Amino acid sequence: MTTLAEPTAFTPSATRWHQRPYVRAIGVYLFIRVFSIALLALFATRTGQPLIGRLTAWDGQFYLDIADYGYFGTTRGLYDAAGNYAPYTPLAFFPAYPTLLRVLSPITLGSTVLAGLLVSTVAGCLAAAAIFRLAQRIDGRTRTGLLLVALWAGAPLAITQSMVFTEALFTAFAAWTLVGVVERRWLLAAACCLGAGLTRSTAAVLIAVVGVAAVIAFLRTRDRWKTMICAVLCPLGLLGWWVYVAIWTGSPTGWFDLEWDNWRTRFDGGREAAEFSWQKLASGSSVMETLTVFIVLGAAVLAVLLAKTLRPLSQWWPLAAYGSGIVVLVVGTAGLPTVKPRFLIPGFILLFPIARGLAARRPGTAVAATAAFVFLGCWFSAYSLTGWRYVI
């Protein structure tokens, strides 16, 4: 029978009891972020590149220009993957992140760069709190939650959580959406899922999970109006932006056309990923490209382990479905194959089997293994931004 967890009762004393672990989780997250940025700064100094330039590179320049000039005023030399620029190119980028930058820029004395770094930092902290909450709810141990936060914060290309990118913001929306689903807080799930849909297209996976969970709950519970509202609201952010782009471009598939024309990105069922993986594993022509293949393969393995780890699966299936859906979307989408490790960052729940396994080990073993993982992930991030530059 398909069920979802009952909501947690938060009494005043329970709230105070839970505050300290949340602070620890956010502290772990910020410590790793500081270490990652420090390592990036070292690499940037050695290669003669400004740190701020690395933290605002690539997509960050689009988000900053959209925040400063709007979607139809970004004309200062921004180009797509093919080196071209078209009037509608910025419409490929979703509005939530640049809108927040624009709104918060007065607080940062008009600097959208500082606003972007602030949004990413705060969003990352909110994401860490939700990730900790989910892990502790599943496993019942504070240690598991802290380890999951640490692994996510130090994963390969997790540096994007500290950049003018949408990884931190989307993960915050996604994690709190899943908190709402498993705790049957349907209005929370609806609001956060709507926000996720206005942040990036990966929300399609989240919307499917939330929609199915809401329909099941509607059929099985008496509190139906909240589940109905959730089912109706959760896709509106993503669909609303797609409709907006369709109107401006004059094409029902306007957003998808932009993705194909500018970045050669479309869903091909994994054909390009398979060809790319075979080529790199057979030739070994690039160490970094080979590493990206192993990262994606590792994510696929973790998706299988996640389904086996979350028991009873009838209770935690939304988490397993979200993690597996992220992997399917990343593997099945063609275009810029070396960027796939970055697209896996919002799939934080994939790391839960590792966190749970480490939590069962001696504290020293768990800390050492996590520290090694974090160091390698931070190195991968720093080198990708300063030495290779094709993986972001």
Side-chain angles (χ1 to χ4, degrees):
M1 180 175 66
T2 303
T3 60
L4 292 174
E6 294 295 331
T8 302
F10 287 97
T11 63
S13 59
T15 301
R16 287 194 295 270
W17 187 86
H18 278 288
Q19 284 176 351
R20 184 175 297 176
Y22 280 116
V23 171
R24 289 171 61 189
I26 293 173
V28 168
Y29 172 77
L30 290 176
F31 175 81
I32 294 173
R33 295 271 36 85
V34 169
F35 173 76
S36 182
I37 294 173
L39 191 61
L40 174 62
L42 176 63
F43 279 42
T45 299
R46 292 180 64 87
T47 55
Q49 303 175 65
L51 176 61
I52 291 297
R54 294 297 83 209
L55 294 175
T56 59
W58 296 291
D59 290 4
Q61 292 300 309
F62 274 100
Y63 287 121
L64 290 172
D65 260 32
I66 293 169
D68 287 332
Y69 309 112
Y71 276 94
F72 302 104
T74 57
T75 58
R76 61 179 188 88
L78 297 178
Y79 301 99
D80 59 23
N84 301 316
Y85 181 85
Y88 296 131
T89 297
L91 289 173
F93 297 87
F94 284 70
Y97 191 76
T99 299
L100 284 174
L101 269 57
R102 191 180 189 92
V103 170
L104 294 177
S105 61
I107 299 176
T108 57
L109 303 179
S111 172
T112 50
V113 172
L114 292 180
L117 298 177
L118 175 63
V119 169
S120 292
T121 300
V122 174
C125 292
L126 292 174
I131 291 169
F132 171 81
R133 184 182 182 119
L134 285 169
Q136 190 181 45
R137 186 171 182 81
I138 299 167
D139 192 58
R141 291 180 292 184
T142 298
R143 183 186 300 180
T144 304
L146 295 176
L147 288 170
L148 182 57
V149 170
L151 293 170
W152 173 69
L157 290 186
I159 187 63
T160 51
Q161 299 164 13
S162 298
M163 296 174 66
V164 183
F165 273 57
T166 60
E167 268 67 24
L169 181 62
F170 179 82
T171 305
F173 278 131
W176 281 106
T177 297
L178 293 172
V179 169
V181 170
V182 301
E183 295 183 3
R184 295 188 181 183
R185 301 174 187 274
W186 297 108
L187 297 184
L188 172 65
C192 291
C193 192
L194 192 152
L198 290 170
T199 305
R200 59 192 296 169
S201 61
T202 314
V205 174
L206 192 65
I207 291 167
V209 172
V210 175
V212 172
V215 170
I216 291 174
F218 177 82
L219 297 174
R220 294 181 177 273
T221 64
R222 294 181 179 179
D223 189 15
R224 293 186 171 182
W225 70 272
K226 291 182 180 179
T227 58
M228 182 173 62
I229 290 175
C230 181
V232 172
L233 289 182
C234 70
L236 293 186
L238 181 63
L239 293 179
W241 183 247
W242 281 347
V243 170
Y244 178 82
V245 176
I247 292 172
W248 272 102
T249 59
S251 169
T253 58
W255 184 85
F256 299 94
D257 295 339
L258 290 173
E259 288 289 295
W260 175 249
D261 293 339
N262 293 293
W263 290 276
R264 285 294 183 256
T265 298
R266 66 179 178 185
F267 192 83
D268 71 344
R271 178 179 178 180
E272 182 191 78
E275 293 175 352
F276 178 82
S277 298
W278 172 251
Q279 178 186 2
K280 298 308 170 184
L281 293 177
S283 65
S285 57
S286 169
V287 173
M288 292 297 286
E289 289 178 339
T290 303
L291 284 175
T292 63
V293 172
F294 279 115
I295 290 171
V296 174
L297 290 175
V301 172
L302 286 174
V304 175
L305 292 177
L306 179 65
K308 294 183 177 181
T309 304
L310 294 174
R311 289 288 184 266
L313 188 59
S314 61
Q315 180 175 341
W316 305 113
W317 72 263
L319 303 180
Y322 173 73
S324 300
I326 291 292
V327 173
V328 170
L329 185 63
V330 170
V331 173
T333 301
L336 305 176
T338 56
V339 181
K340 293 186 185 300
R342 173 167 75 87
F343 294 154
L344 288 168
I345 294 298
F348 61 90
I349 197 64
L350 293 167
L351 295 166
F352 179 76
I354 301 177
R356 192 175 204 175
L358 289 175
R361 302 293 186 270
R362 294 180 179 179
T365 302
V367 171
T370 303
F373 179 90
V374 168
F375 178 81
L376 290 174
C378 291
W379 168 84
F380 188 89
S381 295
Y383 184 74
S384 297
L385 278 167
T386 58
W388 191 41
R389 303 196 204 179
Y390 294 105
V391 78
I392 294 291

